[in-house]
């Protein structure tokens, strides 16, 4: 046995294969892999050459009488990589189709199919009009993004995206991904700059060094200890815990002097990056042992889910130095410690509503404006700009408000807002926005001590300007101080701001994630179509686009079905659940989603009476994946989660978009903003699905289905 401990790695493909085999065999594989990691030279491990394998470095190892593992075991160096596991014949067939080697230009370890027959270029019939090649890249540029030498000719002859997609398994992941983004319209030089690996003096037989390179680490991981290995095998599909895309890894490790903003569409791994960033900050960027990272988001359920997932990647010591809390809870706790004399109230609170009723009694007859106008003016103008007297209201900006006001009209309206503030003061109340501003004032005064060196903000698009100004004050400006992730396409609460106006400068420190790893491309297209033509901001005054946002996974389009009544719809939903079970799906991988709590309750009752076990997701508790049963959730609750199969029920006219959310205002500008929020909510719900999306309605279907429906019915 060598004095140096050998390098033992595991591939994402191995975990994917492991996840699909029966649980009885999984236990045997787990025992084998543990023994293999501790001593790949063990006498109980028999390496067998695969005579007709494409790759001479492939070996077969025996798991039991029926199952075999495929291992990369190069002649040079003590390197062993678990690549695949399957039944005997299937494992050997896999080995015959694949090859694994070090790219001579990038130095990354690459695993892909090596079927020479498919590599033969397809010749178009002579009658077809000749098409130019899809790519105008030089061979040197293709090599820099990881295209293997023997694939160059085929790639250069590709003429359509469909041809490129047929090459997917025949190309390394990084090469196909870069080419796919270029084909979708991304700037070729930007993609080359982003994907070109920097490696010098590459030794194509040095597999150990190849495993340390960034591009390799998206697909291969060197296992350091048995605890880490066990965690990987217990949840093999949670690859986000270990494997990061190079663009994600660079963001996690990015050392900068100031705040970072990360944009990205649904499924691009923003929250994953944020969680790994929090752990990295604890390990590398805190100034003293008693300093912490604050990880905050907008809602309680998202904070709960994030805290649960951080436990999967952090040690107990690291967890103690990451405080996870949603922002309203943080403000409340902080002010309570400062002996804040007011009770904080939120929309819907009975005392808050009583204040509003008293204030609205003071509204003038002229101008004749509905009650909704005052609520909207309060939320969009008074609170964000912290208007406390009539003179300030005269100067306040009303950008985005649909009803113009003269100075005299503002003077008349102010009596309502003045009375509201008086009513709140007399009851000892503060609305959450004002309380957040008060917390910011305390921090700005320098009278409060905070233990944080860094703040990580998830779902930043849902924060308001008061919150973002507070976040700027939570840590002193400096290196690695604030890390912000968000996506305007997923804004499901109507709060807008620009980071710059809140004192957070991100120029030169902004990046965008472009690859959706969760949903299929068909689902992505369906979800994006719901927001097509709508202007979406980038959180800092610019516009964001989905033109450079793609999924590399293909599947079936979302299924859309309409029914005469809800009972028929429930029969169909129960039938789909049974069908997915017959295909091997577990109930916990299915989530039925509806717009309101009342609808969720009705579908829970209906599915239970039809024999489906159900678990309704709580706002305050993380989903316990050990419990079996179809999950049920509102569209708001499912945000931040993912399921293999998502069923959106009651996508009816008047429900999606929710009539109350649109028609509560008489201001056309507010109505348009309300509809955009509803579109974003629907977009979020659709993009929670990893594999299949089922959309159903009874009676009249939602107008949101008109655009995508013709492409999606099955």
């Amino acid at each position: 046995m060598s004095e140096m401990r050998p390098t033992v790695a595991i591939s994402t493909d191995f975990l994917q294969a492991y996840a699909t085999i029966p649980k009885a065999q999984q236990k045997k594989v787990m025992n084998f892999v543990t023994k293999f990691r501790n001593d790949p030279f063990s006498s109980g491990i028999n390496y067998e050459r695969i005579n007709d394998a494409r790759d001479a470095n492939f070996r077969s190892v025996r798991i039991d009488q029926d199952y075999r593992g495929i291992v990369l075991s190069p002649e040079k160096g003590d390197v062993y990589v678990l690549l695949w596991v399957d039944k005997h014949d299937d494992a050997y067939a896999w080995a015959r189709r694949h090859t694994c080697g070090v790219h001579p230009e990038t130095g990354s370890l690459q695993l892909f199919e090596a079927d020479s027959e498919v590599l033969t270029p397809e010749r178009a019939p002579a009658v077809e009009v000749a098409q130019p090649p899809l790519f105008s890249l030089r061979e040197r540029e293709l090599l820099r993004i990881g295209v293997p030498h023997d694939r160059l000719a085929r790639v250069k002859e590709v003429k359509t995206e469909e041809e490129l997609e047929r090459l997917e398994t025949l190309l390394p992941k990084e090469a196909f991904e870069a080419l796919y983004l270029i084909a979708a319209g991304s700037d070729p030089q930007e993609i080359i700059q982003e994907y070109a690996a920097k490696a010098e003096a590459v030794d194509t037989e040095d597999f150990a060094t190849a495993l340390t390179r960034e591009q390799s680490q998206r697909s291969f991981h060197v296992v350091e200890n048995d605890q880490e290995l066990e965690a990987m095998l217990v949840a093999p599909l949670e690859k986000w815990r270990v494997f990061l895309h190079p663009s994600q890894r660079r963001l996690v490790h990015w050392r900068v002097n100031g705040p970072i903003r990360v944009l990205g569409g649904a499924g691009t791994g923003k929250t994953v990056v944020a969680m790994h960033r929090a752990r990295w900050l604890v390990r590398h960027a805190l100034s003293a042992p008693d300093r912490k990272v604050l990880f905050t988001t907008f809602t309680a359920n998202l904070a709960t889910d994030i805290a649960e997932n951080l436990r999967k990647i952090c040690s107990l010591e690291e967890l103690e130095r990451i405080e996870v809390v949603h922002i309203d809870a943080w403000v409340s706790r902080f002010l309570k410690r400062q002996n804040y004399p007011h009770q904080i109230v939120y929309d819907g609170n009975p005392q808050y509503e009583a204040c509003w009723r008293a204030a609205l009694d003071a509204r003038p007859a002229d101008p004749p404006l509905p009650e909704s106008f005052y609520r909207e003016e309060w939320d969009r103008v008074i609170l964000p700009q912290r208007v406390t007297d009539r003179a300030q209201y005269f100067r306040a900006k009303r950008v985005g408000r649909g009803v113009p006001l003269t100075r005299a009209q503002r003077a008349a309206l102010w009596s309502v807002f003045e009375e509201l503030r008086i009513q709140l003061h007399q009851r000892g109340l503060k609305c959450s926005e004002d309380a957040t501003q008060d917390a910011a004032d305390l921090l700005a005064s320098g009278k409060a001590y905070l233990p944080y060196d860094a703040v990580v903000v998830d779902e930043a698009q849902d924060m308001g300007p008061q919150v973002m100004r507070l976040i700027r004050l939570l840590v002193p400006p400096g290196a690695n101080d604030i890390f912000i992730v968000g996506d305007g396409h997923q804004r499901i609460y109507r709060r807008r701001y620009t980071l710059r106006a809140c004192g957070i400068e991100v120029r030169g420190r902004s990046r965008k994630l472009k690859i959706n790893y969760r949903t299929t491309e068909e689902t992505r297209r369906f979800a994006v179509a719901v927001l097509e033509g709508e202007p979406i901001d980038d959180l800092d005054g610019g516009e964001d686009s989905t033109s450079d946002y793609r999924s590399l996974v293909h599947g079936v389009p979302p299924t859309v079905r309409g029914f005469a009544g809800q009972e028929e719809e429930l029969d169909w939903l129960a039938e789909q659940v049974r069908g997915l079970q017959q295909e091997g799906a577990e109930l916990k991988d299915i989530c039925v989603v509806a717009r309101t709590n009342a609808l969720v309750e009705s579908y829970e009752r209906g599915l239970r009476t039809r024999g489906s076990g159900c678990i309704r997701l709580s706002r305050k508790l993380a989903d316990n994946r050990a419990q079996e049963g179809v999950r049920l959730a509102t569209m708001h609750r499912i945000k931040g989660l993912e399921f293999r199969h998502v069923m959106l029920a009651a996508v009816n006219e008047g429900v999606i978009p929710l009539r109350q959310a649109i028609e509560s205002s008489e201001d056309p500008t507010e109505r348009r903003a309300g509809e955009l929020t509803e579109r974003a909510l629907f977009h979020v719900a659709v993009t929670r699905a990893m594999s299949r999306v089922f959309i159903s309605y009874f009676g009249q279907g939602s107008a949101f289905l008109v655009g995508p429906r013709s492409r999606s019915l099955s």
Side-chain angles (χ1 to χ4, degrees):
M1 185 173 182
S2 171
E3 295 181 2
M4 295 285 291
R5 188 177 182 89
T7 299
V8 177
I10 194 165
S11 75
T12 57
D13 294 68
F14 180 89
L15 290 176
Q16 194 75 32
Y18 169 79
T20 63
I21 65 177
K23 293 192 179 298
Q25 273 68 38
Q26 282 187 354
K27 186 174 182 180
K28 295 179 181 179
V29 174
M30 185 180 292
N31 292 335
F32 167 82
V33 174
T34 301
K35 180 172 66 174
F36 179 84
R37 194 203 76 81
N38 287 316
D39 184 9
F41 308 108
S42 171
S43 59
I45 300 175
N46 299 313
Y47 296 94
E48 299 180 5
R49 286 187 177 275
I50 306 171
N51 295 327
D52 52 353
R54 294 280 183 183
D55 195 312
N57 290 324
F58 283 4
R59 301 289 185 271
S60 167
V61 291
R62 181 187 177 95
I63 305 295
D64 64 10
Q65 184 174 350
D66 296 324
Y67 278 79
R68 297 292 183 272
I70 304 299
V71 177
L72 176 73
S73 176
E75 295 292 337
K76 178 181 177 181
D78 289 336
V79 174
Y80 299 85
V81 185
L82 288 161
L83 299 176
W84 193 254
V85 62
D86 214 329
K87 288 186 176 180
H88 180 284
D89 291 349
D90 294 331
Y92 273 76
W94 183 93
R96 295 185 190 101
R97 295 195 312 271
H98 288 80
T99 186
C100 187
V102 180
H103 191 281
E105 179 73 20
T106 68
S108 64
L109 189 60
Q110 300 179 328
L111 175 65
F112 51 93
E113 287 190 18
D115 191 335
S116 58
E117 292 181 6
V118 182
L119 285 176
T120 304
E122 296 181 9
R123 301 298 180 185
V127 295
E128 288 190 5
V129 178
Q131 285 184 274
L134 190 58
F135 305 107
S136 58
L137 301 176
R138 299 187 298 272
E139 286 193 359
R140 174 68 176 171
E141 292 172 322
L142 292 172
L143 288 170
R144 287 183 64 201
I145 60 175
V147 176
H149 274 285
D150 63 357
R151 305 295 195 266
L152 291 173
R154 183 67 185 96
V155 168
K156 289 169 68 176
E157 294 202 19
V158 168
K159 293 181 174 60
T160 65
E161 283 193 33
E162 290 73 20
E163 284 186 36
L164 177 61
E165 289 172 0
R166 287 198 291 271
L167 286 180
E168 180 175 0
T169 60
L170 304 172
L171 291 169
K173 291 178 182 178
E174 65 267 29
F176 177 78
E177 190 174 293
L179 291 170
Y180 198 74
L181 287 173
I182 293 171
S186 297
D187 180 79
Q189 294 310 312
E190 287 184 7
I191 296 300
I192 291 170
Q193 184 176 2
E194 181 178 349
Y195 280 80
K198 299 174 177 62
E200 298 178 1
V202 173
D203 179 353
T204 57
E205 296 184 4
D206 187 353
F207 287 80
T209 299
L211 284 168
T212 67
R213 295 192 173 106
E214 188 179 67
Q215 286 284 10
S216 303
Q217 291 172 1
R218 69 179 294 184
S219 300
F220 302 93
H221 181 71
V222 177
V223 183
E224 300 294 343
N225 55 63
D226 287 345
Q227 292 76 20
E228 180 184 41
L229 177 62
E230 182 179 358
M232 293 171 69
L233 295 177
V234 166
L237 296 178
E238 293 183 356
K239 294 182 284 187
W240 59 267
R241 299 194 296 185
V242 175
F243 301 97
L244 294 178
H245 187 279
S247 61
Q248 295 174 328
R249 192 177 300 277
R250 285 193 287 270
L251 290 171
V252 170
H253 298 166
W254 197 8
R255 293 180 182 272
V256 292
N257 188 31
I260 293 172
R261 176 193 62 180
V262 179
L263 300 175
T268 55
K270 298 183 300 300
T271 302
V272 167
V273 168
M275 290 189 292
H276 280 272
R277 176 69 173 185
R279 183 179 67 169
W280 181 88
L281 288 165
V282 167
R283 292 178 174 181
H284 303 287
L286 300 187
S287 61
D290 62 342
R291 303 298 285 170
K292 290 186 174 184
V293 174
L294 175 66
F295 196 129
T296 189
T297 189
F298 185 67
T299 62
N301 55 274
L302 283 174
T304 299
D305 296 332
I306 288 166
E308 183 66 24
N309 282 323
L310 278 170
R311 293 188 184 97
K312 299 175 182 178
I313 64 172
C314 295
S315 66
L316 291 176
E317 293 78 10
E318 289 165 346
L319 285 171
E320 289 177 357
R321 302 184 71 186
I322 303 174
E323 181 180 334
V324 183
V325 59
H326 73 280
I327 194 64
D328 284 341
W330 188 93
V331 169
S332 178
R333 293 174 195 172
F334 172 75
L335 290 175
K336 187 175 292 186
R337 289 196 297 268
Q338 308 302 315
N339 298 314
Y340 193 56
H342 306 288
Q343 176 188 346
I344 303 173
V345 291
Y346 304 87
D347 286 342
N349 179 281
Q351 294 188 75
Y352 196 11
E353 294 305 309
C355 292
W356 263 111
R357 286 193 296 272
L360 288 169
D361 286 341
R363 60 179 170 156
D366 185 29
L369 296 168
E371 291 185 5
S372 61
F373 174 88
Y374 292 91
R375 294 255 189 179
E376 292 153 6
E377 191 80 354
W378 175 256
D379 289 336
R380 313 285 184 255
V381 179
I382 307 298
L383 289 175
Q385 298 178 60
R386 208 174 190 185
V387 176
T388 58
D389 59 44
R390 188 170 65 173
Q392 289 177 337
Y393 188 41
F394 287 157
R395 298 191 299 271
K397 296 178 180 179
R398 301 183 67 255
V399 178
R401 299 290 284 135
V403 178
L405 296 176
T406 66
R407 183 181 178 88
Q409 288 173 328
R410 291 198 195 198
L413 297 181
W414 178 250
S415 60
V416 173
F417 306 122
E418 185 176 45
E419 181 63 27
L420 180 58
R421 288 204 179 279
I422 290 171
Q423 292 289 330
L424 289 167
H425 179 74
Q426 289 177 345
R427 290 171 168 82
L429 307 176
K430 279 289 184 83
C431 64
S432 61
E433 293 86 352
D434 277 346
T436 302
Q437 297 274 23
D438 291 342
D441 287 346
L442 283 167
L443 293 177
S445 71
K447 297 177 181 178
Y449 167 80
L450 294 179
Y452 314 121
D453 276 351
V455 180
V456 177
V457 184
D458 189 37
E459 303 291 358
Q461 74 278 351
D462 288 326
M463 306 290 192
Q466 301 93 333
V467 169
M468 297 311 294
R469 286 193 285 267
L470 171 69
I471 284 169
R472 175 61 280 179
L473 294 166
L474 290 174
V475 289
N480 310 306
D481 54 354
I482 303 176
F483 191 84
I484 299 167
V485 300
D487 175 24
H489 299 85
Q490 299 183 70
R491 181 180 285 109
I492 62 175
Y493 300 97
R494 292 165 63 179
R495 297 172 177 87
R496 287 179 179 267
Y497 59 86
T498 64
L499 291 171
R500 190 178 300 107
C502 298
I504 300 174
E505 181 56 67
V506 295
R507 280 182 298 180
R509 295 184 299 275
S510 293
R511 297 293 184 270
K512 185 174 182 180
L513 298 171
K514 301 175 181 178
I515 298 298
N516 179 339
Y517 298 98
R518 180 193 300 136
T519 74
T520 66
E521 176 64 5
E522 289 74 16
T523 296
R524 185 203 66 81
R525 289 173 184 166
F526 183 97
V528 166
V530 176
L531 291 168
E532 188 174 354
E534 300 287 350
I536 305 297
D537 69 283
D538 66 356
L539 315 186
D540 204 29
E543 284 198 13
D544 195 11
S545 169
T546 58
S547 62
D548 54 357
Y549 165 50
R550 289 290 185 275
S551 174
L552 303 184
V553 179
H554 283 275
V556 298
T559 299
V560 181
R561 290 289 301 272
F563 300 91
Q566 189 181 29
E567 290 301 310
E568 288 182 33
E569 182 195 24
L570 275 162
D571 289 341
W572 183 78
L573 289 171
E575 181 184 342
Q576 303 315 303
V577 169
R578 289 190 294 272
L580 290 173
Q581 283 186 285
Q582 291 170 3
E583 294 173 8
E586 297 183 71
L587 290 179
K588 65 183 178 182
D589 292 329
I590 304 169
C591 188
V592 175
V593 185
R595 176 64 179 85
T596 66
N597 281 303
L599 281 168
V600 169
E601 289 175 6
S602 70
Y603 284 98
E604 181 179 9
R605 289 193 300 270
L607 288 173
R608 286 187 186 279
T609 61
R610 288 163 173 80
S612 294
C614 297
I615 294 176
R616 187 173 178 185
L617 296 184
S618 164
R619 283 195 323 110
K620 297 182 179 180
L621 298 175
D623 182 15
N624 182 358
R625 301 297 288 166
Q627 292 182 298
E628 189 63 12
V630 174
R631 271 47 178 174
L632 292 105
T634 64
M635 287 185 171
H636 283 89
R637 177 60 186 95
I638 199 176
K639 186 170 186 178
L641 302 178
E642 61 183 29
F643 294 90
R644 290 212 162 275
H645 311 286
V646 170
M647 299 179 175
L648 278 69
V651 185
N652 306 344
E653 181 183 12
V655 176
I656 307 293
L658 191 64
R659 181 172 288 117
Q660 181 182 351
I662 305 298
E663 297 181 358
S664 61
S665 174
E666 296 183 22
D667 184 333
T669 300
E670 288 292 324
R671 287 192 172 206
R672 285 195 297 271
E675 180 178 324
L676 177 57
T677 300
E678 290 289 298
R679 286 184 179 275
L681 187 60
F682 187 60
H683 170 90
V684 166
V686 171
T687 55
R688 301 306 97 191
M690 299 169 65
S691 180
R692 294 288 304 275
V693 177
F694 301 84
I695 297 173
S696 58
Y697 61 90
F698 58 92
Q700 182 65 40
S702 166
F704 289 0
L705 298 175
V706 172
R709 191 189 310 177
S710 62
R711 299 190 296 274
S712 315
L713 284 172
S714 45

